[in-house]
Amino acid sequence: MPAIRLLPDTLISQIAAGEVVERPASVVKELVENSLDAGATDIHIVLEEGGIRQIRVVDNGAGIGKDDLPLAFARHATSKIASLEDLEQVRSLGFRGEALASIASVSRVTLSSRAASEDRAYTAIAEDGRIGSPEPAAHPVGTTVEVSDLYYNTPARRKFLKSDATEFAHCEDVVTRAALSRPEVTFTLRHNGRVVARMAPANFAQRVESALGSEFAQSMRSLDANASSLKVCGFAGSPSYSRSSRDNQFTYVNGRFVRDKLLSHALREAYRDVLHGDRHPAYVLFLDIDPRGVDVNVHPAKTEIRFRDARAVHQFVFHAVAKSLAAAPGEAPASVATPIAYGLSPEVSAGQAALSLAQPMASYSARFARYPQEPATAGMAPGAAQPLQGLPLGYAIAQLHGIYILAQNAQGLVLVDMHAAHERILYEKLKSALDARTMNTQKLLIPSTFHADRIDVATVEEHGETLNLLGFDVAAISPFALAVRAVPAMLADADPAEVARALLRDVREYGASRVLTERRDELLGTMACHGAVRANRTLTIPEMNALLREMEETERAGQCNHGRPTWYQMSLQDLDKLFLRGR
Ligand code: ADP
Ligand code: MG
């Protein structure tokens, strides 16, 4: 039986560091928060090799005096709170006094600073668990923290780091979050010697635009609501600016970026009626609450919080956002076509059918008799008999509201959900092409470029081969932009940027190898959905007939990939019943 031993301090720090310093981005977060807590108005973040080689944060804040320099590295040493009472009302971003200690235990740190009250600057180095004594240095009022060779002494952790591009992408996320919360502060971000972002002092709306792009800024509605001890303000993206991932969702509580299930639930609910299921809203929201109403000391990284009155917060945020979405001018909810209930299933009596006409919202799926599985041979209308033979879905006669194809077959009327049907056809074709490794690509005459987040850019750089296999050629053209140069020929009608975004989302969510194996069907579904004709696209009669023929040839064409039916048969008998017409 081994004896119980106290662990050496360095090891304690390294273990604790695991919670605070997960990756370079966590270091950037802690250092930037320290700069903001010190009242800085100008913060430079300088990264080398995704922050793994070096992270340097330079600020013009209040600085640290000579005697406090070594203390800054000490665990549980903080200038921000002194008592439990302070903790309960904490407004600063830091307060646990462990970030610098943790960072120093897994890297080499140089801290240089000049306090506003002192006329000299000093520098101290922490390495291998030792803190050097402060030496005079040249530095203006403010602080520079330089963190080099992250995890040099804990190789097992270092192995978990991803590529420079991915780590940088995470660092950039952290800077964006900070910049959104403090528009009055100048942020400059450099990577490998290049300025990647520079955000000048601005108002909230301008900062949102420079951090998230003008596309979002143009679609967003501002929002401002007050209750007794709660206040929420910020910007809610319009449903038309929905995203394929959650990357543009920013929530802050008392100025601190948080990921909170309760808040995201309230937001999801608020957007529920206006957003399609697999789309995500974009928003930047600041909740202000009496600090005593929220516990920020739940996790060392402090992105998790706990509300004391969760229900009240949920209701308040939900109503504020729902109201702003409802009030927005010229923005109809992204509606699903209102089902028109004809009430024609054989078991419905004529009287009930007439009644259902007066209830357009009644569910229609159960009302239509499904087309019999065998091809039509009997009961044809005179005159139309010959050409309809052998064509189970008949001939197109019209398109309804850009959504449905109306066709005539031997039995009567066929109604086809154009998008669902096309989606199913594409899905099956993509599947065969991928299996046979015969995915034909089509080069785009003009590459389609789009604004992408850092992680998408990194994903493209890392998984280009997977994308090629799927028929795509996507390349990074800047740290924020991707260009689609080729798409699968079958998806030539899709918006190349949209489909590439959706594809990247799947690769991100499931991983490059899984999207080709166990997640393959989801991935093909995503591609098919984007490649399929959208509602409100006018098709010519020959195009509609082509679609009907393809449906007949496609396996399982009766159901779209989401399990919804793709078409219904209404026989002449059904129509007769509707009109109370005895035959
Ligand atoms: P915390 O932020 O929780 O107090 P840290 O380990 O992050 O703990 O920092 C320890 C202390 O070092 C802070 O309380 C602060 O006094 C000082 N400090 C760290 N960074 C800066 C900075 N950029 N400017 C001024 N003081 C700083
Ligand atoms: Mg701190």
Side-chain angles (χ1 to χ4, degrees):
M1 191 70 174
I4 298 179
R5 275 184 295 265
L6 276 173
L7 296 174
D9 274 356
T10 326
L11 186 52
I12 294 174
S13 299
Q14 284 171 347
I15 292 168
E19 290 191 72
V20 184
V21 193
E22 205 191 320
R23 59 191 337 160
S26 349
V27 175
V28 173
K29 170 183 181 287
E30 294 296 337
L31 299 185
V32 167
E33 289 189 352
N34 280 346
S35 297
L36 290 171
D37 281 345
T41 57
D42 190 1
I43 304 177
H44 288 252
I45 301 103
V46 184
L47 307 173
E48 300 297 333
E49 295 170 23
I52 303 169
R53 171 84 261 290
Q54 190 170 84
I55 296 165
R56 193 162 78 242
V57 174
V58 184
D59 71 48
N60 64 348
I64 309 172
K66 180 185 180 192
D67 298 339
D68 284 344
L69 266 190
L71 273 178
F73 285 115
R75 186 163 295 279
H76 308 307
T78 179
S79 56
K80 299 170 192 175
I81 58 169
S83 65
L84 180 62
E85 199 175 50
D86 288 350
L87 176 61
E88 284 174 344
Q89 314 202 17
V90 68
R91 285 260 176 203
S92 57
L93 295 165
F95 55 81
R96 295 170 60 111
E98 61 185 358
L100 284 181
S102 295
I103 294 166
S105 73
V106 291
S107 64
R108 303 183 171 96
V109 182
T110 306
L111 180 56
S112 312
S113 191
R114 182 178 150 199
S117 54
E118 295 186 11
D119 51 9
R120 286 213 77 129
Y122 292 88
T123 187
I125 295 173
E127 196 175 341
D128 298 328
R130 285 185 306 274
I131 300 160
S133 50
E135 301 288 338
H139 197 285
V141 173
T143 304
T144 295
V145 185
E146 201 171 279
V147 175
S148 305
D149 301 321
L150 191 58
Y151 297 138
Y152 77 99
N153 54 358
T154 46
R157 297 198 67 88
R158 193 171 176 131
K159 269 201 232 115
F160 280 99
L161 295 178
K162 299 286 190 305
S163 69
D164 289 4
T166 301
E167 294 304 337
F168 173 70
H170 286 282
C171 293
E172 206 179 6
D173 267 353
V174 162
V175 174
T176 301
R177 287 173 200 158
L180 282 171
S181 74
R182 301 295 293 273
E184 76 285 6
V185 175
T186 303
F187 287 86
T188 309
L189 174 63
R190 285 170 186 272
H191 188 215
N192 295 339
R194 244 167 18 93
V195 174
V196 174
R198 191 184 161 77
M199 287 176 267
N203 64 29
F204 266 127
Q206 292 163 334
R207 178 55 60 91
V208 168
E209 174 158 7
S210 57
L212 303 183
S214 51
E215 212 186 320
F216 173 66
Q218 272 157 24
S219 90
M220 72 197 185
R221 301 93 191 257
S222 71
L223 165 160
D224 206 333
N226 264 296
S228 53
S229 61
L230 287 170
K231 178 176 153 49
V232 66
C233 67
F235 299 99
S238 86
S240 64
Y241 182 79
S242 66
R243 316 271 297 170
S244 59
S245 70
R246 296 186 182 82
D247 55 359
N248 271 4
Q249 301 185 344
F250 299 87
T251 47
Y252 298 80
V253 172
N254 292 346
R256 183 190 304 284
F257 175 84
V258 297
R259 285 182 207 288
D260 181 66
K261 286 211 174 69
L262 179 100
L263 288 180
S264 46
H265 185 267
L267 278 145
R268 212 164 41 244
E269 289 290 299
Y271 274 93
R272 196 164 68 167
D273 289 342
V274 290
L275 215 57
H276 186 268
D278 68 345
R279 304 292 295 170
H280 300 283
Y283 45 75
V284 184
L285 291 181
F286 300 88
L287 181 73
D288 264 315
I289 177 170
D290 182 330
R292 279 167 296 210
V294 58
D295 186 357
V296 290
N297 196 19
V298 179
H299 184 269
K302 302 188 227 78
T303 47
E304 281 170 46
I305 49 166
R306 213 169 279 143
F307 293 107
R308 302 215 199 284
D309 189 351
R311 245 182 83 86
V313 172
H314 187 281
Q315 291 235 342
F316 175 68
V317 171
F318 167 78
H319 284 295
V321 176
K323 208 171 128 210
S324 93
L325 291 176
E331 192 64 68
S335 65
V336 181
T338 307
I340 311 154
Y342 289 99
L344 289 174
S345 70
E347 40 325 328
V348 178
S349 75
Q352 282 169 318
L355 184 72
S356 70
L357 275 173
Q359 300 177 310
M361 291 308 288
S363 140
Y364 69 171
S365 56
R367 294 176 185 273
F368 298 99
R370 290 296 310 280
Y371 186 82
Q373 290 307 300
E374 65 276 12
T377 46
M380 288 168 223
Q386 209 38 50
L388 290 177
Q389 207 148 30
L391 296 180
L393 296 176
Y395 283 108
I397 45 186
Q399 195 182 9
L400 188 68
H401 285 280
I403 300 166
Y404 298 101
I405 294 171
L406 309 188
Q408 167 175 262
N409 70 354
Q411 277 74 17
L413 178 67
V414 174
L415 277 162
V416 176
D417 178 334
M418 201 170 87
H419 175 77
H422 193 203
E423 188 178 331
R424 166 49 70 178
I425 292 167
L426 277 178
Y427 176 83
E428 293 297 338
K429 283 187 175 172
L430 288 165
K431 198 157 147 185
S432 326
L434 186 62
D435 285 347
R437 294 273 186 274
T438 53
M439 191 72 84
N440 286 325
T441 53
Q442 175 159 328
K443 273 210 169 347
L444 300 178
L445 218 49
I446 303 162
S448 172
T449 59
F450 62 96
H451 184 89
D453 73 13
R454 287 73 54 179
I455 297 180
D456 277 344
V457 172
T459 304
V460 163
E461 284 171 349
E462 269 173 62
H463 303 300
E465 258 171 59
T466 304
L467 300 181
N468 291 346
L469 209 60
L470 290 163
F472 287 86
D473 179 359
V474 186
I477 50 171
S478 89
F480 316 102
L482 291 172
V484 187
R485 298 201 201 114
V487 296
M490 276 180 255
L491 304 185
D493 289 337
D495 176 335
E498 277 290 306
V499 63
R501 276 197 184 115
L503 179 69
L504 289 171
R505 178 198 58 195
D506 281 6
V507 174
R508 256 164 89 155
E509 213 144 288
Y510 305 125
S513 60
R514 287 173 74 218
V515 292
L516 292 178
T517 53
E518 67 204 86
R519 293 289 175 178
R520 192 188 65 152
D521 294 353
E522 278 100 325
L523 176 81
L524 294 174
T526 302
M527 287 166 63
C529 183
H530 283 268
V533 281
R534 290 281 158 193
N536 293 322
R537 169 126 120 64
T538 313
L539 297 185
T540 62
I541 296 279
E543 280 178 318
M544 289 189 248
N545 279 324
L547 187 65
L548 296 175
R549 300 295 80 79
E550 285 198 283
M551 285 173 73
E552 288 162 353
E553 284 161 19
T554 303
E555 248 183 289
R556 294 179 290 273
Q559 302 254 300
C560 82
N561 310 315
H562 306 114
R564 285 183 282 117
T566 56
W567 59 277
Y568 283 105
Q569 172 78 59
M570 295 164 73
S571 70
L572 287 173
Q573 287 91 321
D574 292 333
L575 292 166
D576 289 344
K577 272 198 204 139
L578 178 64
F579 292 100
L580 309 176
R581 192 177 210 262
R583 274 218 181 195

